[in-house]
Amino acid sequence: MTKKLDYIRFIREKVGSERIFLNFAGGLICNEEGEVLLQKRGDRNAWGFPGGAMELGESAEETAIREVYEETGLKVTVEHLIGVYTKYYDEYPNGDQAQTIVFFFQCKTVGGTLKTDGNETLELKYFPIDQFPPLFVKQHEDAWEDWLSKKKGCFR
């Protein structure tokens, strides 16, 4: 078995904090009551959808499935693509800059149990659609709006 490469660390060692493209994938997951799962992120202390960075050799779907599991403890399958969100910029707390590209999927839980790690994930909570908290970045807000509008395969 080969050691997994931490792509972001690898590339940042070469370019420092300069603006680069970073690819992410995440999932929108509903429970049986129709509430939507959000993750309180450790890096921002704010709510967002579970997901994370793609590693070399992964597809966007594989990334979403892996990241949802790592951040929530839930095993999921991808039902469909909500959208691809590409023209967004972020500056991280450590000063790193990126144009972030996010693939958002509607996911279905097929196993696992909710768990937090106290580091990447501070809290996990299902929210009713009409009681949604602010989300930590515009990409998540746009994906949320597209999902509420029942759109599929969006691109922004």
Side-chain angles (χ1 to χ4, degrees), residues 91-116:
E91 183 169 333
Y92 295 88
N94 67 357
D96 289 352
Q97 298 178 37
Q99 179 173 345
T100 55
I101 298 167
V102 179
F103 299 84
F104 273 106
F105 296 97
Q106 169 79 45
C107 296
K108 179 180 178 182
T109 303
V110 295
T113 331
L114 284 180
K115 64 177 180 185
T116 60

Side-chain angles (χ1 to χ4, degrees), residues 49-110:
F49 297 107
M54 292 178 73
E55 294 293 342
L56 289 173
E58 280 186 323
S59 70
E61 178 184 21
E62 291 167 336
T63 299
I65 291 167
R66 175 184 56 78
E67 284 287 344
V68 166
Y69 180 72
E70 288 177 1
E71 295 181 355
T72 71
L74 297 179
K75 295 179 181 178
V76 298
T77 58
V78 166
E79 295 184 311
H80 66 264
L81 177 69
I82 296 168
V84 181
Y85 302 84
T86 61
K87 195 174 178 180
Y88 301 79
Y89 301 92
D90 202 357
E91 183 169 333
Y92 295 88
N94 67 357
D96 289 352
Q97 298 178 37
Q99 179 173 345
T100 55
I101 298 167
V102 179
F103 299 84
F104 273 106
F105 296 97
Q106 169 79 45
C107 296
K108 179 180 178 182
T109 303
V110 295

Side-chain angles (χ1 to χ4, degrees), residues 28 36 49 129 132 135 140-148:
L28 190 146
V36 178
F49 297 107
I129 290 172
F132 231 60
L135 299 173
H140 287 226
E141 292 171 3
D142 288 349
W144 173 238
E145 289 174 19
D146 290 341
W147 183 82
L148 284 173

